[in-house]
């Protein structure tokens, strides 16, 4: 998925949620978001869709659903084992030592795999938490979340002490893309940004995942309550509501990137090309938290001046950057890619 915003064809995007994509994003940005599913042999695989995302001719009569495959077979066609990812020093070192973060989305299976997904989701959280704990990942460097109302029960059943949050509004797990969004619309209408944030705070979540719809175009006006935005009075309202509570926005469109960051919002981006020039004409900075710039350097980016010799956070401070640091996060590694994810085997 080469962006039309890019001014170079040198960078090549790896397929989403693959080992290469996740490692590159962890090294080049402030953190990574990715998706976890439980395989037929009780292992963790990084995969977004319900169906194994390969060309149909490569199925060879095998089931379509990820949960019906063993991990080894999924690895053979190019998908990422979470356990193997956690043994890769190129992935682990930035997470352990450089204040990077990971947002682990627990994916729900379809009803034909399991009608009550809560227990299965708790198993995913349990297995992943055990590996994250064993690696010594800081408590403020990993969060679990899902489109699932009983996330508190998921966390309790898992036995994990790791922080969790909810993806709201909750999108149904069955139906077409547009159909699911339509069914989630009543929740969006009844949840202003202010109400959404209070729900997350009251649940004990360390951060709030948030749809860009709350900040973009006419959609920010269709819910009950006062709208927030990235300019003028709506920005002031946003900052008053936020306080210092961290919010992670997806998708972080390139044309909104600077405004989102300057508003104090972390973003999940599908565009990991470091050489991209933003539509506003600004150069990008992929590590606003873990390689922080001065105000003067940020202003220089807008004029096309990329600063050199910027010290990373871990070299200037022993303090762990928590959720409140404004970050650039790689969505599904280096960003969402076309379907099927694995084009050839």
């Amino acid at each position: 998925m080469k962006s039309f915003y890019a001014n170079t064809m040198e960078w090549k995007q790896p397929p989403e949620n693959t080992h290469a994509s996740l490692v590159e994003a962890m090294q080049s940005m402030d953190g990574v978001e990715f998706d976890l599913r439980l395989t037929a042999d009780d292992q963790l695989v990084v995969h977004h869709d319900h169906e194994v995302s390969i060309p149909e001719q490569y199925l060879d009569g095998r089931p379509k659903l990820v949960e019906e495959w063993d991990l080894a077979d999924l690895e053979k066609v190019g998908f990422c084992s979470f356990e193997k990812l956690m043994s890769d020093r190129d992935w682990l070192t930035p997470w352990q030592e450089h204040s990077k973060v990971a947002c682990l989305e627990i994916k729900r299976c379809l009803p034909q795999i399991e009608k009550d997904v809560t227990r299965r989701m708790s198993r995913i959280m349990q297995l992943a938490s055990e590996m994250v704990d064993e690696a010594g990942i800081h408590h403020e460097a990993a969060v679990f979340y899902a489109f699932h109302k009983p996330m508190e029960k998921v966390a309790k059943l898992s036995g994990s002490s790791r922080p969790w949050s909810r993806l709201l509004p909750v999108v149904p797990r069955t139906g077409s893309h547009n159909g699911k969004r339509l069914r989630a619309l009543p929740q969006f209408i009844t949840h202003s940004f202010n109400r959404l944030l209070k729900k997350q705070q009251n649940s004990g979540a360390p951060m709030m995942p948030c749809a860009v719809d709350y900040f973009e175009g006419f959609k920010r006006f269709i819910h009950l309550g006062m709208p927030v935005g990235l300019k003028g009075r709506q920005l002031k309202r946003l900052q008053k509501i936020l306080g210092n509570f961290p919010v992670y926005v997806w998708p972080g469109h390139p044309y909104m990137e600077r405004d989102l960051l300057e508003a104090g919002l972390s973003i999940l981006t599908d565009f990991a090309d470091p050489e991209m020039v933003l539509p506003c004409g600004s150069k990008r900075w992929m590590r606003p938290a873990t390689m922080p710039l001065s105000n003067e350097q940020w202003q220089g980016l807008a004029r096309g001046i990329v600063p050199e010799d910027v010290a990373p956070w871990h070299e200037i401070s022993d303090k762990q950057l928590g959720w409140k640091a404004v970050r650039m996060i790689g969505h599904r590694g280096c960003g969402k890619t076309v379907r099927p994810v694995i084009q050839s085997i």
Side-chain angles (χ1 to χ4, degrees):
M1 186 175 70
K2 189 65 185 178
S3 167
F4 63 86
Y5 294 102
N7 69 342
T8 177
M9 294 301 292
E10 294 178 1
W11 182 78
K12 185 177 180 181
Q13 182 178 15
E16 69 175 61
N17 274 332
T18 56
H19 193 109
S21 184
L22 295 165
V23 170
E24 180 176 340
M26 184 61 91
Q27 292 185 343
S28 64
M29 289 186 267
D30 291 320
V32 185
E33 187 269 1
F34 56 95
D35 308 287
L36 291 175
R37 290 187 179 276
L38 191 66
T39 64
D41 56 341
D42 199 42
Q43 302 296 314
L44 296 180
V45 67
V46 185
H47 196 291
H48 179 272
D49 297 357
H50 290 295
E51 295 186 359
V52 179
S53 193
I54 58 176
E56 193 166 348
Q57 65 266 28
Y58 294 126
L59 285 174
D60 293 328
R62 291 175 290 191
K64 289 186 176 182
L65 299 183
V66 174
E67 287 82 3
E68 296 179 299
W69 285 49
D70 287 345
L71 177 62
D73 292 329
L74 288 165
E75 288 185 279
K76 286 176 184 176
V77 296
F79 295 107
C80 178
S81 158
F82 184 62
E83 184 175 10
K84 287 187 179 176
L85 183 68
M86 292 297 288
S87 67
D88 187 337
R89 296 305 308 172
D90 290 337
W91 161 265
L92 268 184
T93 299
W95 199 7
Q96 292 169 323
E97 302 176 11
H98 301 169
S99 278
K100 304 292 183 81
V101 300
C103 303
L104 297 82
E105 182 175 345
I106 303 173
K107 302 303 291 185
R108 300 165 297 173
C109 64
L110 289 174
Q112 54 262 50
I113 298 296
E114 196 161 337
K115 289 185 178 179
D116 181 7
V117 295
T118 297
R119 191 167 296 277
R120 188 180 188 91
M121 293 172 71
S122 71
R123 178 61 174 163
I124 294 174
M125 188 169 179
Q126 176 192 355
L127 291 172
S129 293
E130 288 171 355
M131 294 183 221
V132 171
D133 290 345
E134 185 178 351
I137 302 301
H138 194 279
H139 196 68
E140 287 195 66
V143 64
F144 291 88
Y145 54 50
F147 286 107
H148 194 57
K149 285 185 179 179
M151 266 301 293
E152 184 174 6
K153 186 176 180 181
V154 169
K156 185 176 181 180
L157 287 173
S158 75
S160 172
S161 62
R162 289 283 166 178
W164 56 271
S165 186
R166 291 185 185 90
L167 291 164
L168 297 170
V170 174
V171 176
R173 55 178 166 151
T174 59
S176 67
H177 173 76
N178 290 334
K180 289 188 288 186
R181 288 179 66 87
L182 186 62
R183 288 158 61 194
L185 183 60
Q187 285 185 65
F188 179 73
I189 292 173
T190 57
H191 282 76
S192 65
F193 181 84
N194 187 30
R195 185 183 179 197
L196 196 69
L197 188 133
K198 285 181 178 178
K199 271 196 169 183
Q200 298 285 17
Q201 289 176 318
N202 291 339
S203 73
M207 47 76 79
M208 181 174 85
C210 183
V212 75
D213 299 20
Y214 281 95
F215 311 99
E216 182 183 34
F218 77 92
K219 289 175 285 188
R220 68 183 188 272
F221 297 105
I222 66 174
H223 57 70
L224 302 176
M226 298 296 288
V228 295
L230 303 176
K231 302 288 184 182
R233 292 181 181 178
Q234 292 177 5
L235 174 59
K236 290 181 180 179
R237 185 179 298 124
L238 168 66
Q239 292 173 333
K240 183 178 180 180
I241 293 169
L242 275 179
N244 60 358
F245 194 77
V247 172
Y248 283 47
V249 178
W250 179 84
H253 300 304
Y255 70 88
M256 300 176 70
E257 186 170 297
R258 287 219 31 147
D259 287 341
L260 287 165
L261 293 172
E262 289 170 5
L265 302 167
S266 293
I267 65 174
L268 276 66
T269 182
D270 284 312
F271 299 88
D273 185 348
E275 300 300 322
M276 177 190 294
V277 175
L278 298 175
C280 63
S282 174
K283 291 283 191 177
R284 307 179 82 199
W285 195 252
M286 308 295 285
R287 294 175 57 184
T290 57
M291 195 174 279
L293 300 181
S294 66
N295 288 335
E296 184 179 353
Q297 288 170 321
W298 272 108
Q299 292 168 8
L301 285 172
R303 301 192 300 272
I305 303 170
V306 179
E308 298 179 358
D309 301 322
V310 179
W313 175 260
H314 67 274
E315 291 184 4
I316 59 178
S317 176
D318 293 330
K319 185 179 179 181
Q320 171 75 25
L321 283 171
W323 296 109
K324 293 177 183 178
V326 177
R327 297 177 181 269
M328 181 92 78
I329 303 294
H331 180 233
R332 304 184 198 173
C334 289
K336 180 180 177 180
T337 50
V338 296
R339 295 310 189 254
V341 170
I342 305 299
Q343 298 282 320
S344 61
I345 298 172

